[in-house]
Amino acid sequence: MKLHSTEKSITNSFIKRLLGVISVFLLTNIGVYGQLDSWLNNMQPEQNYYDIKYGMQEYLNSLEKTMDSAVFYAGDGEYKRFKIFESIWEPRVSPHGEFSKYYDAQEDYYKNLQDDYTFYTTASWHELGPKTIQTSGSKGIGPVEFVTFYDNGTTDSTFIMLTGSTLGGLFYSTDTANTWQSAGTDTWSQSGVSWAVFNPNNYRMWYVASSGNGASTEASWIGKLGGVFRTNDEGQSWDTIADYHDLGGSYFTKIFKLLINPNNPDILFVATFCGLYKTNNCNSSDPGWTKVLDGFIYDLELKPTNDSVMYASIYDSSLDRWLIMRSENYGGALTWDTLSAQPEYLSDSIVRHQHITIEVSKARPDYLYCFTRDSSSHTLYYTEMDIHFNWHKIVSFQDKYGYGSGHGFGVEQTGNGDTIMVSHKFDCMKYNILTGTGVSCVNVHDDTEDIVFHPYNSGEVWACTHGGVEKIINYGNEFKNRYNGLGVGQIEGFTTSYTNPRYILTGIYHDGSQITTDPYQQNWNPQWKHVFGGDGMKPVIDNLNTNRMYASAQYGSWSYTPDLFNSYESIYGNNSHFLTIGVLNKENPIVFFKSQYDPEPFENIFRNSWDASIGEGKISEFQNVFTYAELIITIGLYTPFNDGDYLLANLKTIDSNATSHQTMESFHLMRSVNANSMDTLEVLWEELTIPTNKRNIAGVVFDPGNPDKIILAYTTQTINSISDSLIFKIDYSNPNDPIFEPITYNLPITCVNKNCITVDKFSDGGIFLATEYGVFYTDNNLQQDTLNAWQLVGTGLPHVRSTGLEMSYPSNSLRVALFGRGIWEMPFPCPYDSVPLSINSDTTWNSPITMDRNLIINSGKTLTINSQGIIHLPTDAKIIVKPGGKLVLNGGTLSNGCNGLWQGIEVWGNPEATQIPANQGWLSISNGGTIENAEVAVRVGSEDYTN
């Protein structure tokens, strides 16, 4: 079945007019292929995001017509990569489209502004993962790009390793990858890295390329603050030894590889898109850099027995082709020669699908091996350089899927040096170079980015996949994951249980949906279990019954479980655009709202009811509202906790009559106040006036006490007028005359991604906002001082874009999702009020409650806690049942509300009096009632009654 058909209809008159100019320029300069990397690798400061976006849409529309849909939409193909690029960069540069403004604001914050902010709390953020997994079920955590050994010439040295993610940063292992730990790049201005090498004489000294935070699995622009960094204390401190001034002068430079001379570790090479740079003093305080080779340098190697000989694979724009070049003078300037014979002609500059990876082997030091990669055709070669120079073709094969975009090619370093492995479709292939015979090797996870043969151990190979680092035994006969500690999950969305702190459900790009499995405790380090496939999106958990959950994947796929994913059923329906959007009616969570195509390409809202208590089906006809629209996409759905009839839909429309990109896209907030009408045709919608409909809406949250009031955050801000504020309080009590209150105040110029705003319902108007610079907080009291209204929350959060933010009331903590660094938590101080809550009349609790004090049940009164009542108590709190009082735990739960244990229940009475209700306190537990996480669950008698 065809999964999805998307923006194919956008080849309208506007797109054709707009692309007429763009295409002439770009196709003249980069050949006949219009893929994403062609634009990104030819970036100039004046290039606009929207030129790339609309050019890619035109290209993808053409590509979809000629490609099998399963290939077009699956894996790490062009369509998904573009959608990830769009999701990363549009929030950063909308609506102006100027990349330089983003980098200017980033530089200003880190150099001038960050020290000006007050901390609301300086507590440390704590990493939750996924970074450890159960051996069964999960096949991955997230993509990594390279793996490298410390090698001082001995086998024993190689137990020390580095690996890295272009979004998540650098990780370090001192036990041969059995465990990994973050290696100090989290709080760089851009956490992502594209390559790293050891100083061969000092395992504590590393050189790392800060060239990430762009797309999902490849090097990105270094910006104004990236470049090459050095540490001499295992990542505790860093020095910048090359920035964009040193590497060609453009912050659109990308770094693809670092290479250090093992015999002279003062010499370091940096392979970039704009040339090969060399320093002879990489360990000095101010290394000097020289450009020694012009062109796009993709790969580098040193001859194993003669470090004066270097090889480089480059794209020469003057010749419009890929080449292999050689230097016999330590890679010095003006000493590079083009090999007299070259592999087959590759005519395009696209990094992802057209490049040459080269390798050398200690076992055959006179050999040079290469892997040429075309859009779908791949060929392996070797040549014996010092005897007769010609290329021997090992094998050619087709790979229309094109998964894995890195240096996915490795050569045996021991024995005969005649075994190679290469990325092949989803997995790897092993070949003998002399016979050309190949054997398929099945990875633990799909999509191979790097393959490295161990320098000393025969048969041992290491791979980087979109799941993490994998150890390959016996040349591919067995793959073992080595993911433990690799917190590189690219979280698309997550949700935390409203009633039980132990459950977090998350959707991960590349790695499906995963759920925590361990009981919650202080300094929680949970394991995660894979529960649903596909590329995960934002899931949903029932706020009254945690057992009921919904996991999602791209293009509209959902699965539903009534039992914590011990079992589940798939919910497909019609497909959706790239995003999969759904939300529950929080007053009656048996009702589920989701967005899907009907009719394509217009998304509408559908309602499901698992107990058939309400009519099911489509409850909107947005195409009749936006009659000009050629495409309608749902960006978000939102419901309040206190009125199940309210439903908000955040929409994007494409105007087929637009004359510029500024007018082509519009954003709208639609509201229904009767979303639960039994008849689906009676559900009514109105468009709410918003401050501007020309900027993306990042998120909406309801005021906890009034569903007519919301807080709305845009993805970006400009400084032209009040309407360009980043965040607003809006009162829609009179929807025809809404009240807008901009509350941006002292926030930096930054970007906010979807679902990155939440409120604290127990505070005085508390609002949390997640940005690339960290999480900020404000409330009604702080807003009295506009210069200090927003304050930073917590320390140590990686500088990776956020994709979700939620309060966990049961654990009294804040949780944030990062695209490239998983889920993080920051506990708040445990609240405690010395004035107890007294039960002075018969009372029943049927919903979750978070307490901040002792609870006293007085004589003659009964408190009943039913199955939906989950009561969380702070560390110092207890429940006292006085003589004559009664506590009935009828299926309800009493649990802790902070990291520590609560004190438990005291049932007071007189052992010398008769055992009748008037003389004694009573506790009744039935129907699965639970007391958990208490110092002493039940104490009969007061704490000072010694007998």
Side-chain angles (χ1 to χ4, degrees):
M1 180 181 72
K2 188 172 182 178
L3 293 175
H4 174 67
S5 179
T6 181
E7 291 156 345
K8 60 187 177 184
S9 61
I10 304 184
T11 53
N12 51 55
S13 58
F14 161 66
I15 288 289
K16 292 176 181 177
R17 290 196 303 273
L18 180 64
L19 291 175
V21 176
I22 298 172
S23 298
V24 169
F25 169 76
L26 290 173
L27 295 180
T28 300
N29 286 273
I30 61 175
V32 298
Y33 296 97
Q35 298 178 2
L36 181 61
D37 288 306
S38 299
W39 277 290
L40 304 188
N41 292 326
N42 287 273
M43 281 295 295
Q44 301 297 321
E46 64 273 11
Q47 188 80 50
N48 192 278
Y49 162 79
Y50 290 99
D51 294 346
I52 297 172
K53 175 175 179 174
Y54 296 133
M56 278 301 298
Q57 287 176 343
E58 177 80 355
Y59 164 72
L60 290 169
N61 292 337
S62 300
L63 188 65
E64 185 183 22
K65 296 175 183 178
T66 61
M67 184 177 287
D68 178 80
S69 62
V71 178
F72 184 79
Y73 293 111
D76 197 33
E78 290 298 305
Y79 176 76
K80 283 191 176 180
R81 291 185 59 257
F82 167 64
K83 300 309 292 184
I84 292 297
F85 170 82
E86 182 182 46
S87 70
I88 289 172
W89 281 104
E90 191 151 308
R92 291 171 170 173
V93 300
S94 171
H96 50 75
E98 297 178 35
F99 296 100
S100 59
K101 287 186 176 180
Y102 168 78
Y103 285 121
D104 289 343
Q106 184 187 68
E107 181 183 42
D108 184 46
Y109 178 80
Y110 285 112
K111 288 188 174 181
N112 304 315
L113 301 178
Q114 63 175 331
D115 293 335
D116 294 339
Y117 283 92
T118 301
F119 276 86
Y120 175 67
T121 173
T122 56
S124 296
W125 287 91
H126 173 64
E127 183 180 4
L128 300 181
K131 58 178 181 173
T132 57
I133 60 171
Q134 292 181 335
T135 54
S136 61
S138 178
K139 291 181 63 178
I141 289 175
V144 291
E145 289 301 298
F146 64 88
V147 63
T148 184
F149 297 94
Y150 175 64
D151 182 3
N152 66 6
T154 66
T155 304
D156 291 343
S157 66
T158 60
F159 68 89
I160 300 173
M161 302 171 68
L162 289 170
T163 189
S165 159
T166 55
L167 292 174
L170 190 67
F171 288 80
Y172 180 44
S173 175
T174 57
D175 58 6
T176 321
N178 286 309
T179 58
W180 296 94
Q181 60 184 336
S182 179
T185 65
D186 281 348
T187 52
W188 288 2
S189 61
Q190 301 181 156
S191 296
V193 302
S194 60
W195 206 267
V197 293
F198 288 98
N199 183 309
N201 295 334
N202 183 354
Y203 73 92
R204 305 184 76 229
M205 182 175 285
W206 318 327
Y207 312 87
V208 184
S210 171
S211 185
N213 286 36
S216 176
T217 57
E218 63 231 15
S220 187
W221 306 313
I222 64 174
K224 292 188 173 183
L225 300 175
V228 182
F229 289 19
R230 180 188 65 213
T231 178
N232 59 10
D233 53 12
E234 298 173 280
Q236 298 301 307
S237 61
W238 296 91
D239 296 310
T240 304
I241 60 173
D243 61 16
Y244 76 100
H245 296 291
D246 302 300
L247 303 175
S250 171
Y251 45 80
F252 292 114
T253 295
K254 295 181 179 182
I255 300 174
F256 295 102
K257 192 171 183 179
L258 304 178
L259 183 65
I260 195 164
N261 189 321
N263 299 312
N264 188 348
D266 287 327
I267 299 177
L268 181 68
F269 294 90
V270 182
T272 78
F273 183 76
C274 60
L276 177 63
Y277 293 85
K278 176 184 179 182
T279 179
N280 293 317
N281 303 288
C282 66
N283 298 309
S284 70
S285 59
D286 186 19
W289 292 91
T290 302
K291 189 177 191 178
V292 296
L293 182 60
D294 199 15
F296 164 26
I297 315 301
Y298 184 69
D299 204 1
L300 290 173
E301 292 292 344
L302 284 171
K303 186 174 181 179
T305 55
N306 184 354
D307 62 358
S308 67
V309 177
M310 290 189 66
Y311 309 102
S313 72
I314 81 165
Y315 175 76
D316 188 327
S317 59
S318 65
L319 300 176
D320 189 27
R321 69 163 298 174
W322 285 91
L323 301 166
I324 297 178
M325 301 188 73
R326 175 173 59 185
S327 167
E328 296 185 355
N329 186 26
Y330 298 97
L334 306 178
T335 66
W336 289 85
D337 298 315
T338 302
L339 297 185
S340 58
Q342 295 287 333
E344 291 181 6
Y345 183 76
L346 295 174
S347 61
D348 192 77
S349 60
I350 302 170
V351 177
R352 179 172 177 76
H353 284 295
Q354 309 240 347
H355 60 246
I356 297 178
T357 299
I358 55 177
E359 290 289 344
V360 294
S361 170
K362 293 188 297 181
R364 291 179 182 252
D366 295 330
Y367 278 44
L368 180 64
Y369 309 77
C370 89
F371 171 38
T372 66
R373 183 170 186 157
D374 205 310
S375 295
S376 60
S377 300
H378 309 291
T379 306
L380 296 163
Y381 301 91
Y382 75 90
T383 182
E384 193 169 358
M385 299 284 291
D386 292 349
I387 297 179
H388 53 279
F389 186 68
N390 58 77
W391 290 97
H392 300 276
K393 181 184 291 187
I394 302 167
V395 68
S396 293
F397 58 89
Q398 298 294 307
D399 185 358
K400 64 181 179 179
Y401 294 93
Y403 300 146
S405 58
H407 297 74
F409 174 46
V411 177
E412 181 183 37
Q413 299 296 307
T414 60
N416 295 324
D418 58 3
T419 300
I420 62 177
M421 291 187 70
V422 65
S423 172
H424 182 262
K425 297 183 179 179
F426 300 103
D427 300 304
C428 296
M429 287 289 293
K430 177 182 67 175
Y431 291 99
N432 181 282
I433 67 167
L434 304 178
T435 65
T437 55
V439 177
S440 179
C441 308
V442 180
N443 305 10
V444 177
H445 194 282
D446 300 338
D447 312 337
T448 304
E449 297 289 325
D450 194 18
I451 298 173
V452 178
F453 279 69
H454 193 279
Y456 303 106
N457 297 340
S458 179
E460 182 179 315
V461 190
W462 293 79
C464 294
T465 72
H466 289 184
V469 175
E470 299 182 9
K471 183 179 181 180
I472 310 171
I473 309 299
N474 194 16
Y475 296 112
N477 287 345
E478 182 182 1
F479 281 65
K480 292 185 177 181
N481 71 64
R482 289 294 181 262
Y483 306 153
N484 189 23
L486 278 180
V488 293
Q490 296 179 0
I491 309 301
E492 283 281 6
F494 88 112
T495 188
T496 183
S497 169
Y498 193 73
T499 58
N500 193 325
R502 71 175 290 175
Y503 292 115
I504 301 173
L505 181 61
T506 186
I508 311 175
Y509 184 56
H510 299 288
D511 291 288
S513 296
Q514 299 188 29
I515 189 173
T516 49
T517 62
D518 300 322
Y520 187 77
Q521 59 186 333
Q522 193 168 3
N523 297 319
W524 197 31
N525 186 26
Q527 292 229 359
W528 296 73
K529 181 177 71 173
H530 183 271
V531 296
F532 187 56
D535 291 300
M537 302 292 282
K538 180 173 173 56
V540 177
I541 296 179
D542 188 316
N543 55 288
L544 297 182
N545 183 352
T546 294
N547 291 336
R548 294 197 293 251
M549 299 179 175
Y550 302 76
S552 64
Q554 291 163 345
Y555 314 124
S557 294
W558 287 95
S559 66
Y560 165 74
T561 177
D563 55 11
L564 300 169
F565 280 101
N566 291 311
S567 64
Y568 70 88
E569 60 180 289
S570 296
I571 314 165
Y572 289 101
N574 290 356
N575 1 305
S576 72
H577 192 261
F578 185 72
L579 298 177
T580 300
I581 305 292
V583 70
L584 292 174
N585 174 342
K586 295 183 179 64
E587 278 200 324
N588 181 20
I590 207 71
V591 178
F592 180 54
F593 303 100
K594 65 174 181 175
S595 174
Q596 63 187 49
Y597 279 137
D598 192 344
E600 190 175 352
F602 306 113
E603 287 190 347
N604 277 294
I605 311 305
F606 283 70
R607 186 177 67 195
N608 294 95
S609 172
W610 292 106
D611 64 355
S613 62
I614 197 168
E616 297 187 352
K618 184 166 65 171
I619 60 172
S620 70
E621 294 284 353
F622 291 139
Q623 70 276 14
N624 295 335
V625 177
F626 305 105
T627 55
Y628 63 83
E630 188 165 333
L631 182 71
I632 300 175
I633 302 167
T634 305
I635 306 299
L637 292 173
Y638 318 99
T639 54
F641 281 92
N642 54 0
D643 194 321
D645 285 328
Y646 276 63
L647 176 62
L648 294 179
N650 170 15
L651 307 178
K652 178 169 77 171
T653 62
I654 306 296
D655 185 353
S656 60
N657 298 312
T659 57
S660 69
H661 73 72
Q662 286 86 356
T663 59
M664 180 182 184
E665 294 183 345
S666 296
F667 301 88
H668 310 270
L669 194 61
M670 303 295 293
R671 180 172 77 169
S672 173
V673 296
N674 69 333
N676 292 311
S677 292
M678 287 296 296
D679 187 343
T680 58
L681 297 177
E682 293 179 355
V683 176
L684 303 177
W685 293 87
E686 60 180 335
E687 182 172 5
L688 299 175
T689 302
I690 54 179
T692 175
N693 67 352
K694 293 305 176 186
R695 285 191 289 144
N696 300 45
I697 298 173
V700 174
V701 290
F702 285 90
D703 181 292
N706 185 344
D708 286 321
K709 295 181 179 181
I710 66 169
I711 299 98
L712 180 148
Y714 286 102
T715 57
T716 52
Q717 64 180 357
T718 57
I719 55 175
N720 298 326
S721 66
I722 290 177
S723 66
D724 293 322
S725 179
L726 182 69
I727 185 168
F728 293 84
K729 292 179 182 177
I730 307 177
D731 186 345
Y732 287 113
S733 298
N734 179 359
N736 296 319
D737 187 23
I739 301 172
F740 300 147
E741 181 184 353
I743 57 171
T744 301
Y745 301 129
N746 64 320
L747 281 171
I749 295 176
T750 184
C751 69
V752 179
N753 284 278
K754 60 184 184 295
N755 306 313
C756 285
I757 179 174
T758 193
V759 296
D760 181 359
K761 68 178 183 179
F762 294 121
S763 67
D764 182 15
I767 304 169
F768 294 94
L769 185 71
T771 76
E772 285 189 325
Y773 304 145
V775 178
F776 290 84
Y777 173 81
T778 190
D779 57 30
N780 293 332
N781 181 55
L782 290 174
Q783 289 166 33
Q784 302 306 306
D785 177 8
T786 58
L787 297 178
N788 198 37
W790 290 92
Q791 300 183 351
L792 281 167
V793 179
T795 58
L797 189 67
H799 292 159
V800 180
R801 72 184 182 100
S802 303
T803 50
L805 183 69
E806 291 192 6
M807 287 289 297
S808 173
Y809 292 109
S811 62
N812 191 44
S813 65
L814 188 65
R815 291 170 176 171
V816 64
L818 303 178
F819 194 77
R821 286 296 275 118
I823 308 294
W824 290 65
E825 178 181 67
M826 199 209 63
F828 290 123
C830 194
Y832 184 75
D833 192 316
S834 60
V835 179
L837 173 65
S838 293
I839 302 298
N840 297 317
S841 61
D842 290 345
T843 303
T844 301
W845 288 349
N846 291 305
S847 61
I849 296 175
T850 298
M851 301 286 295
D852 64 353
R853 62 194 69 203
N854 288 346
L855 176 64
I856 297 176
I857 303 171
N858 287 316
S859 179
K861 311 305 177 188
T862 298
L863 172 62
T864 302
I865 304 175
N866 291 324
S867 59
Q868 299 302 318
I870 303 177
I871 315 304
H872 299 279
L873 293 105
T875 303
D876 295 326
K878 59 187 174 182
I879 297 176
I880 298 172
V881 185
K882 288 188 172 181
K886 190 171 186 178
L887 172 59
V888 179
L889 201 56
N890 180 30
T893 300
L894 299 172
S895 187
N896 59 326
C898 298
N899 281 318
L901 303 178
W902 65 293
Q903 299 304 301
I905 303 170
E906 292 181 4
V907 183
W908 288 8
N910 185 346
E912 297 179 357
T914 57
Q915 299 299 302
I916 61 174
N919 294 336
Q920 313 294 346
W922 281 61
L923 170 63
S924 170
I925 305 176
S926 59
N927 297 321
T930 301
I931 305 169
E932 62 183 17
N933 300 332
E935 288 280 0
V936 177
V938 182
R939 185 193 308 272
V940 180
S942 64
E943 61 183 3
D944 56 359
Y945 182 72
T946 59
N947 293 325

